[in-house]
Every structure is written in C-alpha cells, then in structure tokens.
Amino acid sequence: MSSNEQERLFCYNGEVLVFRLSKGNFVDEGPTKTPVLHVRRMVFDRGTGVFVQKSTGFFSIKEEYSHLKIMGCDCVSDFRTGINLPYIMIQCIKETNIFRYFLLFLHSTNKFEKRLSFRLLYELKDSIRVLNGPLVLWRHVQTLFYISSQTGKVVTVSIKFSSIEWAGEIENVGMVLLGRKTCYLPEEGCTPQPSKSDYATWNTQFCVYSLERGEVINETYIIPPAYTSVIACVHVCATEIVNNQLRMSLIALTQKNQLISFQNGTPKSVCQLPFGDPCAVQLMDSGGGDLLFVISFRSSDACAVWEKNFQVAAKWEKVSSVLIDDFLGTGTEQVLLLFKDPLNSDCLSSFKITDLDSLNYSSETLDYNEDDLLDNKKNYLVVPPLERRLKVGLVSVQELQQHLLLKEKIISKSYKALMNLFQGKDDSTSSAEEECLVTLCGEEENPVYTFDEKLSDNFQDSEQLVEKIWYRVIEDSLVVGVKTTSSLKVSLNHVTLSLSMDQAPNSSFPLIKCQNRVIKLSRISSPVPGSVPYEIGSEVKKIKLSVESEKEEEKEESIVCVQPSEKEYVQMITAVTSLSPLLAFSNFCCIVLLQIRERENGNHSATRYVQCGRIFLSLEDLSSGKYLLTFPKKKPIEHMEDVFALLAAWQRACFQIISPSYALTSMKVWLLEHMECEVIKEFPEICFCKRPGSFYGTLFNWKQRTPFEGILIVYSS
C-alpha cells in the first residue's frame, strides 16, 4: 500500500468490510488531491475457499483538507432506527491547530451518510470511543468529553476518571462508563491538615458512571481494590440490579498476562495467558453452549480460552487482525484470523477461519496448523467437540434401537392381523396394538379402516368436552369443526378429529380419510413491540419462505400465537375431507369422533374416543348452497366458524420478514390500505382481503416480533 493510502477492516453480518482512504495528502506536504473513501464488501466463498467481492461503494471528500486520518471503524446503533450500522470516523486538518472530525454511516445500499461532525482545537489520540447513538467519547488533559448526534454539542463529564476500561448500555440505566476513579483514603490518626504522608495514601478504584444521570451509580461489586492497579482491559458479560444496587459479571485482562472472571466483585476463575501484554478480548459463541474468549496481544499474537473451564484452547502468532462473526453462514460464530503477508498487499490473502471444532478453512494447504494447538493442553481443544459428538452418537443409537423395536412390533402385529383376516378368524388385536398400526400409517391423514363397536368401552360423554359442532362446504371440500371447552386438559397435539360413515346397521363403520388441524385464535390484538435497539444476529440474516406440512403448521401455530388466558382465545379442532366421494350417496350421515391419546403407566399410551355427534348432508342441501361458504363483497364475515373453515381448508404459507433498514410498524396499515383488507372483529389478528381479483378472499395474519422482524402468514385457495 502506498504512503498516501490508509486501510481499515472489520466484520458486519458475516461480511468483511474493507475501507480504503486514498488520493489525499496524508503525511507529506504537497498538492492536495480529492480524497476518496472506498469500501468493499467481501464474503467468504466456501466452494473456492477464498474471499470474493460482493459489492463496492465510495464517498468523495470534496472539502479541501490535509493530513486525513482514519480514527476507527466498527458498528454502532442509530438512535433513529435502533439498527446497528457500520461507521467510519475520519480526522482532517483544515487550518493550523484546527482539527475536524466527521463520522460516516454506511447503509446496506453502500451509500455513506455524514451522521456527526465537530471541530476541536486539539488532536484526539487513541483514547477515543464511539458508542451507540452515535456518541463519541474522548479524554483530554484528564477530562472526559462527549458529543452525540442527538444534541450536537460537546459535553464535559463531571467525574474525573484516570482511565476508561469499558463503555456501553445497560438496560434501565442507559449509557454508562466503567473506569478508574481517583479517590482519597485517609489513614487513622491523621491530623485535620493534610501532611505529605496523607498524599501518599491516594488510591484508585473502579466505579460505574451514568451519562444520562450524570452521577456515579455503583462503586462496589465490580473489581476488588487489590486488582485495580493491574487491570488492562474489561469486558462486561452481564448486569443485574439487586436491591437497587448494580451487580456485574465481567472478565478482565491484567498486566500480569492473566484472564480473570469476576462475579459481583469476587474473582471466580483465572487463566494464565500464553503471550504478554494483552490488549483486547472478544466473546465467541461456537454453538452448542460452548463460549470462548478470544484475546488479542500487542505482540501480534492471539489465543482462545474456553469459558467453561478457563483453559487455553488455541494460540496463533503473527496475526494482524482478529474478527468474530458468522462468516460461513452456519448460524454460529467463527473466528477469522488475518496473518501478515509481506509479499501480498491484499489484507485477505492469508487467513484462517475456524470454530475450534469441525469448521476449518485456511488460505494455506493445510486446514489446521499443528502449532496452533498447545502441546501440553491439546485435550482442551479436542475433548469438548468429542464430547458433543459422542452424546449425539449415543442419542442416535438409542433412537435407532427404539425405532427397530417398534418396527419389529408393528410388523409382528400386522402379520398376525393379516393372517387372521385370511383365515376368517376374529381379530383380537388390543387397542394399544391398533394404535401402533394406525401410527405406522400416519397421524395427520387417517387411512380408511373399520371402527369396531367393541371400542365403545373407551367412549366418553361429549357434554363436558365439546361445546359445539359445525360444518361447512368450501369448493370441493367438507370442513367439520369441533369447539372444545376449557375442561379438555390434554395437549392439542394429542387430539385428532375423525369422521365415520353411518350407513348400515352393522358393527363396522368405515372411517373417512381426512386432514386434521388444530387452530387457536386470539380475541385480542397483540401489542406492537416498542422501538428499541435491536441487532440482527447471525442466526437470522435472510428472508425465509416455507409452505409447511400439516404437522409443522400446528407447531408454527403454537410458536407464533401469543398464549392468552382461556377467555381470550378460541380453539377449534377441524377435519377436512374431499366431498366428491361422498356425493355417491344421495343422503349420508357421518359420526364425528374426537380421538384423544393419553399416556398411562410411564411409556404406554391409551386412546379414548368422544362421540361429538352426527352431521347430515343431502344433495338437495348441497345444490341449494345451504352449507356453501361464500364471500359477500359488502358484508363482513359474521360467523366465527366461517373463519376457522377457511383457515382449515386453504393452503398456508409462512413468511419471515426482516427489514434491516426500516421498522415494520406500518405493516398493518399496508394490509388495510394497499391490500384493502378488513379486520375481523372477533379476531383482530386476522385480516380478510377484499381487493378485487385473485387476492379476494385471502386471509392475512401479521405477527410482529420486533420493530424490524415479523411473521406474515397467508391463507389462500
């Protein structure tokens, strides 16, 4: 890189952003050219094993400046939207002893926005920090100052800190500073007038200062005084307020080359680091509950320490940068190590990506260098992954054994039933055995089989469990629904609805093949989440579209829907079957049965049936449209059963929507105005689309999780 170019890089949402400031006069005097700030978004290609360029952008600094300098770059949240955005801060000199600083936000479209700008009569050094807001904090002549994009004014911090070790936001407290404060400790027996010996007792202690309140909120439960003078870096892991007192869980790097864990001011664990002069620590979540601390050293070295046992897992040398993110798109984090390569100017030419387990990518021919592992502590790297794999393997073996036993049992019982059928013998298969045979065919779609009256012993009166039974005709489908009472205490996943033909006085009632679905709707509208800062993590980074199976729909229903009280929701158990085969009978009657599976005596389950009633249909009723569900254009849906019939019969698609740039608070307005939807009064979560054309009759269910994420469920024919 030439002398008139500067380069910085960091990670954001799995990408590596490379900033380069070029074509300006940075050091030597001479004619000034127009400086240009370039950015490259680089992503890792697992197929080729290299970083490839995804997109680029640039920003021209049109004012005449000299001695431009990149002060720092990272990610902070914008108070206007609460979204984390990449920033870069640049220092420039316009006149003698006048230093100008401006902070730029980089948006997803690669457009730069000048978010903050201010002038000072002195130069800022390395003590500068950029916090959420954005808020710029710096120290000059033993005094702290800060300026935010909300106020645009430089504010002086009233407390005198000798150093700031951590700064960030705490819930219900706001922006706080954690640092050393100079304090005076008087000795016993000292005179009122301070003597020379009194000044020798000056000491320092850690305290927490609130910028919003302008006061110290905690001086205890942080770090014991014995450690104060050797602390080099602090990372706060968790905070809580107990009896109006702020308690903190943190880790600290010391000048003694140690990593120490403190819990409410008490040291819990200590790890001796393999290198000297540590300067930074980052937290890495490799998945499966395994957390690691990745430490950087001023000697261009790095190491990783397991959080659960505080033992060194790996170490690396000649490292230029250490970045942590989900570079491989697996939903867990990896560490990206960039090494110094004097023969190549590309900062991403020599690298290693690893999660210290099965994921390892390197620019070298070998995926993993043996020197990275400690010779005397290799087990701390190998044992945790092996433990996880062994546990997964044992669970798989146990599941396979259970599956084989069940398979043998089903085959044996099926063979016995088939032989009895051929020989004309009475089938003495028990209810538990019949359940095994039915389970083999599937739970959601029941095949046609006979229902023996001998099972009448397992019948239960429907008055206590069933409140109402109804049915509708939608196109070529018959939808039957049962509204249950609150006395049904069984999990809805263990309840199915069956239809049986009642055509002859014999003892055999053929069951009708149908699809089951349990639907639960809330009578109240869920509140829209407040506009709070929210960072989109590595687990969800793209829009997902899924058209799920019936079983998955039941699970998704339980995940998406808020669980209100019993009076605030309505639950229906529905069965949908094809109407065409039933038209062969001019008049037909169906018995509606609830099949409830309950566990008894440990692993054994028993099935009981609730006869809900009978439904009668004739060709005259169908031809007259008596039970046919229609959609009046000028009238709202009057009966709740019509809503449940549509939800049961129509196809269901689930969209997970994430907006990285704008809040989704106007989604409901878009449905009402643009899509011309009408909110169903009894169920405010459901919107009925009355837009002319193919959209007419579509049902929408919008669930907003955060201001920038929500789930849209679409029911359509």
Side-chain angles (χ1 to χ4, degrees):
M1 187 182 303
S2 60
S3 60
N4 64 340
E5 290 184 342
Q6 299 178 48
E7 189 173 78
R8 293 287 184 92
L9 76 164
F10 67 99
C11 54
Y12 176 73
N13 280 356
E15 302 174 346
V16 178
L17 303 184
V18 182
F19 290 101
R20 175 171 293 183
L21 188 59
S22 60
K23 295 185 179 180
N25 183 19
F26 302 107
V27 181
D28 301 328
E29 296 182 358
T32 303
K33 298 180 181 180
T34 302
V36 178
L37 177 64
H38 299 269
V39 62
R40 294 184 298 153
R41 293 181 183 265
M42 308 294 291
V43 295
F44 184 72
D45 187 350
R46 299 178 68 173
T48 58
V50 297
F51 282 90
V52 296
Q53 181 173 290
K54 178 182 178 182
S55 59
T56 61
F58 69 93
F59 178 79
S60 298
I61 304 175
K62 299 180 180 180
E63 294 88 348
E64 293 185 0
Y65 295 119
S66 61
H67 302 288
L68 296 179
K69 177 183 177 181
I70 298 178
M71 299 297 294
C73 53
D74 207 334
C75 299
V76 293
S77 66
D78 186 356
F79 81 93
R80 299 170 299 181
T81 62
I83 301 177
N84 270 20
L85 292 175
Y87 78 86
I88 182 170
M89 188 170 180
I90 298 178
Q91 169 191 279
C92 50
I93 303 176
K94 191 171 184 178
E95 301 175 9
T96 304
N97 295 329
I98 297 180
F99 298 86
R100 188 172 183 85
Y101 299 88
F102 56 90
L103 186 143
L104 303 174
F105 269 160
L106 176 65
H107 293 277
S108 58
T109 57
N110 288 333
K111 298 295 183 182
F112 286 90
E113 175 192 6
K114 185 181 289 187
R115 193 67 194 92
L116 186 61
S117 178
F118 59 96
R119 293 190 307 170
L120 297 174
L121 298 179
Y122 51 87
E123 182 180 5
L124 298 182
K125 302 298 181 180
D126 296 334
S127 59
I128 187 171
R129 292 175 181 264
V130 180
L131 310 176
N132 290 336
L135 183 147
V136 181
L137 175 75
W138 69 91
R139 185 165 173 263
H140 180 69
V141 193
Q142 305 300 321
T143 305
L144 283 175
F145 304 91
Y146 70 90
I147 183 173
S148 68
S149 57
Q150 294 176 273
T151 62
K153 298 180 180 179
V154 177
V155 180
T156 303
V157 178
S158 58
I159 190 173
K160 297 295 182 181
F161 279 107
S162 58
S163 65
I164 298 295
E165 304 302 338
W166 183 83
E169 284 187 278
I170 296 179
E171 187 177 0
N172 301 325
V173 177
M175 196 69 65
V176 300
L177 306 179
L178 172 62
R180 294 185 182 91
K181 183 188 72 170
T182 304
C183 60
Y184 177 70
L185 303 176
E187 294 181 345
E188 296 182 359
C190 66
T191 59
Q193 296 295 330
S195 61
K196 293 183 179 180
S197 61
D198 294 327
Y199 291 101
T201 60
W202 284 83
N203 206 340
T204 58
Q205 68 176 11
F206 275 90
C207 67
V208 179
Y209 178 85
S210 172
L211 288 180
E212 296 180 4
R213 303 177 186 178
E215 61 181 8
V216 175
I217 59 177
N218 189 17
E219 293 181 323
T220 58
Y221 304 109
I222 304 176
I223 295 176
Y227 293 88
T228 302
S229 60
V230 296
I231 296 298
C233 177
V234 172
H235 177 83
V236 176
C237 301
T239 60
E240 63 176 346
I241 297 179
V242 179
N243 298 328
N244 295 325
Q245 188 72 37
L246 180 64
R247 305 291 181 91
M248 309 186 78
S249 173
L250 54 88
I251 56 174
L253 298 174
T254 71
Q255 299 173 4
K256 304 294 184 180
N257 306 326
Q258 294 174 321
L259 178 68
I260 305 178
S261 171
F262 293 95
Q263 183 74 32
N264 299 328
T266 304
K268 294 296 184 181
S269 304
V270 180
C271 174
Q272 189 66 40
L273 301 176
F275 303 107
D277 203 5
C279 59
V281 58
Q282 302 179 70
L283 185 62
M284 172 181 161
D285 184 2
S286 61
D290 290 335
L291 299 178
L292 295 107
F293 301 115
V294 182
I295 299 99
S296 301
F297 299 83
R298 288 187 175 86
S299 57
S300 298
D301 300 319
C303 73
V305 177
W306 292 111
E307 185 265 346
K308 61 181 179 181
N309 55 21
F310 255 61
Q311 298 295 331
V312 177
K315 65 177 183 179
W316 306 275
E317 299 178 355
K318 299 180 180 179
V319 178
S320 60
S321 296
V322 178
L323 304 177
I324 295 177
D325 209 325
D326 183 15
F327 302 101
L328 304 179
T330 60
T332 59
E333 291 180 331
Q334 308 92 39
V335 56
L336 169 61
L337 303 160
L338 302 178
F339 300 98
K340 298 179 180 180
D341 188 359
L343 302 179
N344 197 328
S345 60
D346 187 2
C347 59
L348 296 174
S349 61
S350 180
F351 66 89
K352 182 189 295 293
I353 300 177
T354 178
D355 65 345
L356 299 182
D357 190 2
S358 58
L359 298 177
N360 294 286
Y361 291 88
S362 175
S363 58
E364 305 295 333
T365 55
L366 295 177
D367 284 343
Y368 213 84
N369 192 343
E370 293 182 358
D371 293 338
D372 294 340
L373 305 181
L374 292 180
D375 295 335
N376 57 343
K377 294 181 180 179
K378 289 183 179 180
N379 57 321
Y380 298 118
L381 175 64
V382 178
V383 170
L386 289 180
E387 288 179 351
R388 292 199 302 269
R389 294 178 185 178
L390 183 59
K391 291 179 181 178
V392 173
L394 289 176
V395 172
S396 301
V397 170
Q398 293 174 356
E399 291 178 352
L400 182 60
Q401 289 176 345
Q402 295 176 359
H403 178 73
L404 290 176
L405 291 175
L406 179 61
K407 196 172 183 180
E408 292 178 358
K409 181 179 178 182
I410 293 174
I411 293 175
S412 176
K413 299 304 178 182
S414 301
Y415 174 76
K416 180 181 178 181
L418 185 61
M419 292 303 297
N420 291 337
L421 179 63
F422 284 145
Q423 296 174 6
K425 297 180 180 180
D426 293 335
D427 189 7
S428 60
T429 307
S430 65
S431 60
E433 293 171 350
E434 285 185 1
E435 184 184 0
C436 293
L437 298 178
V438 173
T439 305
L440 179 63
C441 300
E443 296 177 354
E444 299 300 328
E445 297 188 1
N446 299 323
V448 178
Y449 63 96
T450 59
F451 183 78
D452 201 321
E453 279 190 338
K454 295 179 182 179
L455 295 175
S456 59
D457 295 338
N458 294 337
F459 271 86
Q460 181 177 338
D461 189 8
S462 64
E463 293 182 359
Q464 299 178 353
L465 300 180
V466 177
E467 180 179 329
K468 185 179 182 181
I469 179 174
W470 53 268
Y471 51 98
R472 297 288 189 274
V473 175
I474 302 178
E475 297 177 351
D476 189 37
S477 298
L478 172 64
V479 183
V480 180
V482 171
K483 182 180 180 183
T484 59
T485 62
S486 58
S487 59
L488 182 61
K489 300 301 182 181
V490 185
S491 173
L492 295 180
N493 292 329
H494 296 158
V495 180
T496 56
L497 193 63
S498 301
L499 303 178
S500 175
M501 291 293 295
D502 186 10
Q503 290 298 118
N506 55 25
S507 61
S508 220
F509 300 91
L511 291 182
I512 301 173
K513 182 179 180 180
C514 57
Q515 285 185 337
N516 281 272
R517 183 181 291 178
V518 178
I519 304 174
K520 183 184 295 184
L521 293 181
S522 174
R523 292 182 180 271
I524 60 176
S525 178
S526 59
V528 178
S531 181
V532 296
Y534 178 74
E535 178 180 0
I536 300 175
S538 60
E539 296 182 0
V540 183
K541 293 182 180 177
K542 54 187 177 181
I543 298 177
K544 298 178 181 177
L545 168 62
S546 61
V547 181
E548 302 166 341
S549 64
E550 299 301 321
K551 187 172 182 180
E552 290 172 339
E553 289 170 352
E554 294 181 7
K555 294 181 179 179
E556 183 67 21
E557 200 79 24
S558 64
I559 294 174
V560 175
C561 295
V562 180
Q563 299 295 335
S565 62
E566 293 180 355
K567 297 181 180 180
E568 296 174 348
Y569 71 83
V570 178
Q571 64 182 24
M572 295 282 186
I573 304 172
T574 61
V576 182
T577 186
S578 178
L579 190 61
S580 301
L582 302 178
L583 296 179
F585 308 94
S586 58
N587 300 298
F588 59 91
C589 173
C590 292
I591 301 175
V592 182
L593 301 172
L594 269 183
Q595 182 179 352
I596 304 174
R597 298 188 301 276
E598 296 178 333
R599 291 197 174 274
E600 294 181 353
N601 300 327
N603 295 328
H604 299 285
S605 60
T607 302
R608 60 189 177 99
Y609 299 87
V610 177
Q611 184 170 340
C612 305
R614 285 175 167 83
I615 60 173
F616 300 90
L617 280 176
S618 65
L619 290 179
E620 295 180 358
D621 295 336
L622 296 176
S623 60
S624 63
K626 183 177 180 180
Y627 301 103
L628 184 64
L629 188 58
T630 58
F631 311 109
K633 293 188 177 181
K634 295 184 179 181
K635 295 182 179 180
I637 297 179
E638 298 179 354
H639 305 287
M640 73 167 66
E641 291 82 7
D642 297 343
V643 178
F644 284 96
L646 293 175
L647 297 178
W650 281 2
Q651 295 293 328
R652 179 179 183 273
C654 181
F655 300 83
Q656 183 171 8
I657 301 176
I658 296 174
S659 174
S661 302
Y662 300 97
L664 299 173
T665 53
S666 60
M667 188 69 178
K668 202 68 174 287
V669 178
W670 178 82
L671 290 173
L672 298 178
E673 296 181 357
H674 180 74
M675 298 303 296
E676 302 179 19
C677 289
E678 180 183 85
V679 177
I680 298 178
K681 293 182 179 180
E682 289 192 346
F683 308 110
E685 302 277 341
I686 305 297
C687 296
F688 183 86
C689 182
K690 290 195 172 183
R691 182 176 179 178
S694 59
F695 286 102
Y696 188 85
T698 304
L699 295 178
F700 296 94
N701 186 358
W702 170 246
K703 295 288 185 180
Q704 189 160 347
R705 291 180 172 177
T706 71
F708 313 102
E709 179 185 2
I711 292 180
L712 179 65
I713 305 176
V714 182
Y715 299 87
S716 61
S717 59

